[in-house]
């Protein structure tokens, strides 16, 4: 279970997270929605300790995320970065198998490569991309390689930062199904950021809306359409008029 | 009176802030260096990364080091011959070329060429990794960026640059020799004997120690500025520029100090 209590984060005088309270049950799929630049990515990075939050607490299974053995902590996570963040000096398969080739999860090179190719197949990529460099792939393909890397070591907790942005609708459907599958089959806990409402409906157990540095609304995905919250309504219907300013 | 006082105070304030800024920067670099050292001494060791760094810093720098050294050695011979002839001391060309290359010009020029070639590329590469979140990705994959990115490069600097300096010294002396024998009428055998007889072990040791220190400075600055890069293309540009400036200035300052330590005791 992941729990954020009163988390705040400012960059200079840009107060991105003002007071974020959020709880994600073990084995459930939480989707965070919200306008671009509202701090969704920053919130994920705070949980992973990539960005140090200014105040508040972040607990993972009751343990303070910042304390204790960092390697053991991070070994439980998989993360898909918004921009892919592939290592551009390494071929695709090596990117995917990165965690499997060093540290506690190290395996023989051949085996790591086989796992990488299997994961690539799961995200809809053919084995022949395995030996290419990330720079030779399209943006959507890079995203899927990043996704394959995030799930390669079968982590307990997976964060997806805009997994379907930049993908065609069919591929987006494939990825939505995959995320759903990972949560139900592997029993993983997932936290996904997305702007894509079809994605929200396909993968979410619960939805949280981040706006103005706080969680504006959170609830089961079934309640989203009847939330009675003007912010959520504006967002899910994509209206220019409403409480959320179009210029931010 | 009060405006004078105020501007004086403003000036002192600015000076104080600059000094404090420098001290803080020295502290940060020092901490970064210690962090790197501590990771250097602890497993795991990333052999493939170290091999790549050795290749990049050492082997691939050979052409530029060789060219720099040979032209410098040649020019040095011409200058010493012209200067020496003013008081009938043309014969010292071999000795002064040797001492000038080995003690000063070899290490400094190799150091500066490494700053241009290696520091800039390290800074740009690591800064790009930073702005594209590749460093964050490394961390989430339980790989320490200092260990994976910084240690191999700094290690390569410490190992390769002294060797490059040795190569540069030899090629520089050869450049002087070629010019002296071809254009200035020196006897080839006597030139070589004079060179070898004149150089002392301390000259060579100082050259290699300087190379090691400069290699450490050049690679460390590339990594430090790269890891501290700001966001976007502008951040990468700033990091690269800053790293080369810092490496070059620190190499020249360290050269002055090392020369003092080695030759004025
Ligand atoms: N490392 C950083 N330094 C300074 N500002 C940052 C940094 N990371 C994010 N921000 C700022 O935080 C805000 C939220 O960013 P982000 O979390 O990426 O938004 P999004 O909700 O679209 O994912 C933005 O205004 C961004 O400029
Ligand atoms: Mg984002």
């Amino acid at each position: 279970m992941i729990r954020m209590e009163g988390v705040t984060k400012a960059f200079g005088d840009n107060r991105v997270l003002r007071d974020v309270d959020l709880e994600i049950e073990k084995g459930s799929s939480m989707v965070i929605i919200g306008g671009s630049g509202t701090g969704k990515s920053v919130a994920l990075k705070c949980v992973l300790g990539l960005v140090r939050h200014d105040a508040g607490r972040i607990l993972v299974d009751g343990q303070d995320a910042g304390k204790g053995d960092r390697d053991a902590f991070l070994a439980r996570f998989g993360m898909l970065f918004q921009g892919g963040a592939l290592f551009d000096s390494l071929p695709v398969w090596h990117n995917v198998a990165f965690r499997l080739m060093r540290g506690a999860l190290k395996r023989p090179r051949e085996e790591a490569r086989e796992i990488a190719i299997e994961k690539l197949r799961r995200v809809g990529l053919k084995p022949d991309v395995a030996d290419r460099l990330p720079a030779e792939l399209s943006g959507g393909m890079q995203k899927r390689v990043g996704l394959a890397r995030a799930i390669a070591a079968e982590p307990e907790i997976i964060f997806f930062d805009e997994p379907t942005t930049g993908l065609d609708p069919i591929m987006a459907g494939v990825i939505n199904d995959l995320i759903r599958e990972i949560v139900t089959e592997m029993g993983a806990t997932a936290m996904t950021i997305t702007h894509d409402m079809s994605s929200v409906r396909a993968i979410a157990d619960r939805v949280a809306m981040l706006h103005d540095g706080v969680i504006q609304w959170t609830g089961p995905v079934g309640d989203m359409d009847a939330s009675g919250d003007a912010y959520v309504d504006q967002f899910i219907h994509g209206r220019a008029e409403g409480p959320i300013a179009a210029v931010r | 009176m009060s405006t004078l006082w105020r501007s004086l105070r403003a000036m002192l304030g600015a000076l104080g802030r600059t000094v404090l800024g420098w001290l803080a920067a020295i502290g940060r670099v020092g901490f970064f260096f210690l962090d790197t050292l501590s990771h250097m001494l602890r497993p795991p060791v990333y052999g493939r990364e170290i091999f790549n760094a050795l290749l990049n810093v050492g082997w691939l720098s050979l052409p530029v080091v060789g060219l720099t050294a040979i032209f410098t050695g040649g020019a040095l011979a011409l200058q010493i011959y012209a200067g020496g002839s003013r008081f009938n001391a043309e014969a010292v060309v071999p000795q002064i070329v040797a001492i000038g290359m080995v003690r000063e010009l070899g290490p400094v020029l190799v150091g500066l060429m490494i700053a241009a070639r290696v520091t800039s590329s390290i800074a740009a590469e690591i800064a790009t990794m930073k702005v594209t979140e590749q460093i964050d990705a490394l961390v989430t994959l339980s790989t320490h960026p200092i260990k994976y990115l910084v240690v191999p490069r700094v290690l390569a600097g410490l190992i390769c640059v002294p060797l490059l300096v040795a190569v540069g010294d030899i090629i520089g002396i050869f450049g002087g020799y070629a010019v002296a024998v071809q254009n200035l009428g020196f006897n080839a055998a006597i030139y070589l004997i004079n060179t070898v007889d004149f150089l002392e072990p301390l000259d060579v040791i100082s050259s290699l120690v300087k190379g090691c220190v400069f290699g450490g400075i050049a690679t460390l600055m590339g990594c430090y500025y790269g890891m501290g890069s700001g966001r976007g293309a502008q951040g990468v540009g700033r990091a690269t520029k800053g790293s080369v400036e810092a490496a070059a200035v620190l190499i020249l300052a360290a050269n002055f100090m090392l020369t003092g330590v080695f030759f004025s005791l």
Side-chain angles (χ1 to χ4, degrees), chain B residues 75-93 96 184:
Chain B
L76 197 58
L78 291 175
Q79 289 282 20
I80 294 163
Y81 186 78
S85 66
R86 292 183 191 167
F87 41 95
N88 295 325
E90 302 95 317
V92 297
V93 168
I96 306 290
L184 307 175

Side-chain angles (χ1 to χ4, degrees), chain A residues 2-3 21 25 29 42 57 64 73 81 94 98 119 129 138 142 149 159 193-194 199 214 224 237 242 244:
Chain A
I2 302 170
R3 212 174 148 130
D21 291 301
E25 291 295 330
S29 170
V42 170
R57 289 207 304 168
D64 199 314
F73 176 77
F81 285 85
H94 197 155
F98 195 87
K119 300 295 173 188
V129 300
S138 74
Q142 289 180 10
R149 182 173 70 183
F159 291 170
I193 293 172
T194 186
S199 196
V214 299
M224 185 174 66
H237 296 111
I244 306 174

Side-chain angles (χ1 to χ4, degrees), chain A residues 23-248:
Chain A
E23 205 176 292
I24 300 145
E25 291 295 330
K26 201 179 182 71
S28 75
S29 170
M30 168 67 86
V31 170
I32 302 179
I33 57 176
S36 51
T38 47
K40 305 182 298 297
S41 299
V42 170
L44 286 195
K45 287 182 184 175
C46 285
V47 177
L48 288 169
L50 296 172
V51 168
R52 282 224 66 67
H53 51 288
D54 300 329
R57 289 207 304 168
I58 298 176
L59 303 171
V60 176
D61 292 340
Q63 294 269 3
D64 199 314
K67 302 205 178 80
D69 181 355
R70 191 117 174 88
D71 277 351
F73 176 77
L74 287 169
R76 304 174 60 193
F77 285 86
M79 164 98 186
L80 164 66
F81 285 85
Q82 192 169 347
L86 301 178
F87 306 127
D88 37 33
S89 58
L90 300 176
V92 163
W93 77 267
H94 197 155
N95 263 282
V96 175
F98 195 87
R99 201 193 258 291
L100 306 175
M101 295 180 69
R102 64 207 81 227
L105 298 172
K106 189 173 162 80
R107 335 183 159 197
R109 200 176 165 84
E110 269 317 303
E111 194 187 329
R113 189 184 152 93
E114 263 162 40
I115 295 173
I117 288 176
E118 158 62 17
K119 300 295 173 188
L120 287 170
R121 196 190 53 73
R122 287 198 74 177
V123 298
L125 289 170
K126 296 208 191 89
D128 63 323
V129 300
D131 291 306
R132 291 207 240 157
L133 288 174
E136 297 166 350
L137 306 180
S138 74
M141 289 165 93
Q142 289 180 10
K143 195 100 202 199
R144 284 184 280 152
V145 174
L147 190 59
R149 182 173 70 183
I151 63 173
E154 312 202 335
E156 293 168 52
I157 306 165
I158 318 187
F159 291 170
F160 302 103
D161 198 342
E162 305 198 11
T164 57
T165 306
L167 301 186
D168 64 69
I170 295 167
M171 214 26 89
V174 169
I175 298 304
N176 288 338
D177 290 350
L178 176 69
I179 292 176
R180 194 63 250 181
E181 217 176 286
I182 288 167
V183 174
T184 42
E185 273 178 24
M186 287 165 41
T189 308
M191 188 144 122
T192 311
I193 293 172
T194 186
H195 298 133
D196 173 357
M197 290 317 293
S198 63
S199 196
V200 177
R201 292 176 205 285
I203 64 184
D205 292 325
R206 290 179 70 84
V207 177
M209 175 155 184
L210 183 64
H211 182 71
D212 257 346
V214 299
I215 299 294
Q216 191 70 37
W217 180 82
T218 178
V221 64
D223 297 357
M224 185 174 66
D225 291 302
S227 66
D229 184 284
Y231 292 88
V232 174
D233 276 345
Q234 187 191 351
F235 193 89
I236 65 180
H237 296 111
R239 285 193 285 259
E241 273 91 48
I244 306 174
V247 180
R248 272 171 272 140

Side-chain angles (χ1 to χ4, degrees), chain B residues 112-129:
Chain B
L112 292 179
M113 291 317 281
I114 293 296
R117 196 190 164 290
V118 173
T119 306
S120 60
S121 90
I122 290 177
E125 185 181 0
I126 295 184
T128 305
M129 291 185 75

